[in-house]
Amino acid sequence: MRLYARAARFYPEDARLLTEWGKLAAELGDVEEARDIFQRTLGLQPAPPPYAFQSAAALEVREGEIDAARAIFSRGVATLVPALRSGDDALAEELVPLVHAWAVCEWRHGDALAARGLFRQAEELSPAPCSWVFMWRAKFEAAAENYPLARHYYARAVNADPNDATIWRLWSDLETAAGNEERASLYARRAAHVVAMLTLSKNNEKPQYRRIRLRARGPPPAPMTAELAPREDNVGDDPNSKAGRAREQGVAPDEGVQADVQQGESGRNGES
């Protein structure tokens, strides 16, 4: 703490330095000092980055001061979103976690309508399709048992990042809850396949595995089996194929998933 205080004397307008100082104070249990530091940070001109508002709001959420957290979230969004200029992807990418954190706060404290609007705003702010934003929106809709829209967002999430096993597992859980055991089993296998492939990829970088490969005779076994990756559900298909074209249009490539996305879109048009 003394080092931060000393550094802040030399760099009193360094928002990131002050934010990290406030976070450390909060972690050490000095809530009032953390609040003072965050208040100083949020008063800087020009305005501090979104992360400063997010960190200050997170402290209030942790302390159970939800109205104070809302006020900080609202202040950050009202200050920084109007300053966003077309093509400023760096600021847009920093704003997405701030708006998303506000959405999660509202969801967990009972305001589903506000949460849905904020999740949508985070999606719109993102300069490129963002798998974790889609995943959280899917979790939100699944919790409300809005299964068609949840499927839609899980499909968008895996299209944005097909190598995130967490998304496949959550989608499998959704299908289990909805009573679709065959679909649940398929997505569970896909999650296991992704984990296996990532593990294999990491192992291949280790020297001992490279030596084994050099000594091995014949080609290595195919890493993907038909059982784990059926052709109709292969998100890595040729972009000129039917599956590839579906992916480019923002849907998952197997026929079942494509139907879910279309159904989800129709549900989205009527969402409140």
Side-chain angles (χ1 to χ4, degrees):
M1 291 292 289
R2 288 196 300 270
L3 290 176
Y4 271 114
R6 182 179 178 185
R9 287 197 295 271
F10 287 100
Y11 304 99
E13 297 183 355
D14 188 323
R16 295 194 180 276
L17 170 65
L18 295 176
T19 300
E20 294 302 325
W21 184 16
K23 286 177 59 182
L24 179 60
E27 290 171 5
L28 294 176
D30 196 338
V31 174
E32 292 308 315
E33 182 173 5
R35 284 179 171 143
D36 288 343
I37 295 169
F38 283 135
Q39 183 176 8
R40 172 181 169 182
T41 308
L42 301 187
L44 293 174
Q45 294 296 331
Y51 183 60
F53 289 96
Q54 184 180 347
S55 299
L59 171 63
E60 300 303 337
V61 170
R62 193 189 75 181
E63 294 301 309
E65 300 293 339
I66 305 306
D67 287 340
R70 286 189 177 110
I72 295 171
F73 280 128
S74 178
R75 178 182 171 186
V77 171
T79 300
L80 297 172
V81 170
L84 183 63
R85 297 292 179 263
S86 178
D88 189 353
D89 290 353
L91 178 56
E93 288 177 355
E94 290 187 51
L95 279 167
V96 170
L98 172 65
V99 177
H100 171 265
W102 189 4
V104 173
C105 174
E106 296 295 357
W107 173 24
R108 289 178 173 169
H109 292 89
D111 194 339
L113 185 61
R116 181 173 282 111
L118 289 164
F119 278 125
R120 187 183 304 115
Q121 185 177 8
E123 297 164 28
E124 293 169 351
L125 282 169
S126 181
C130 184
S131 62
W132 63 266
V133 171
F134 295 145
M135 181 186 74
W136 273 90
R137 177 69 185 275
K139 290 173 63 177
F140 168 74
E141 299 298 348
E145 298 185 357
N146 191 353
Y147 295 149
L149 196 54
R151 289 187 182 102
H152 166 79
Y153 277 100
Y154 278 132
R156 295 183 71 182
V158 297
N159 284 338
D161 186 1
N163 294 320
D164 188 335
T166 299
I167 302 172
W168 292 108
R169 281 195 294 265
L170 289 171
W171 198 351
S172 175
D173 292 343
L174 169 72
E175 298 301 344
T176 298
N180 297 324
E181 293 299 333
E182 183 177 357
R183 184 69 61 82
S185 177
L186 172 65
Y187 297 150
R189 292 199 306 272
R190 176 53 64 88
H193 169 71
V194 168
V195 171
M197 294 305 298
L198 292 176
T199 301
L200 178 63
S201 176
K202 290 179 181 178
N203 286 341
N204 283 342
E205 297 303 316
K206 296 179 180 179
Q208 62 268 34
Y209 283 89
R210 286 201 295 270
R211 288 196 296 271
I212 291 171
R213 288 204 310 276
L214 287 173
R215 295 170 183 170
R217 294 182 179 179
M224 183 179 295
T225 67
E227 180 184 0
L228 287 180
R231 179 68 178 178
E232 64 273 18
D233 189 43
N234 188 350
V235 293
D237 272 339
D238 183 342
N240 294 319
S241 68
K242 181 178 179 181
R245 291 193 300 272
R247 186 176 67 255
E248 291 298 321
Q249 294 168 7
V251 299
D254 71 278
E255 294 297 333
V257 177
Q258 185 171 352
D260 290 337
V261 173
Q262 292 169 347
Q263 186 179 7
E265 282 291 2
S266 63
R268 186 183 183 188
N269 292 335
E271 67 179 297
S272 58

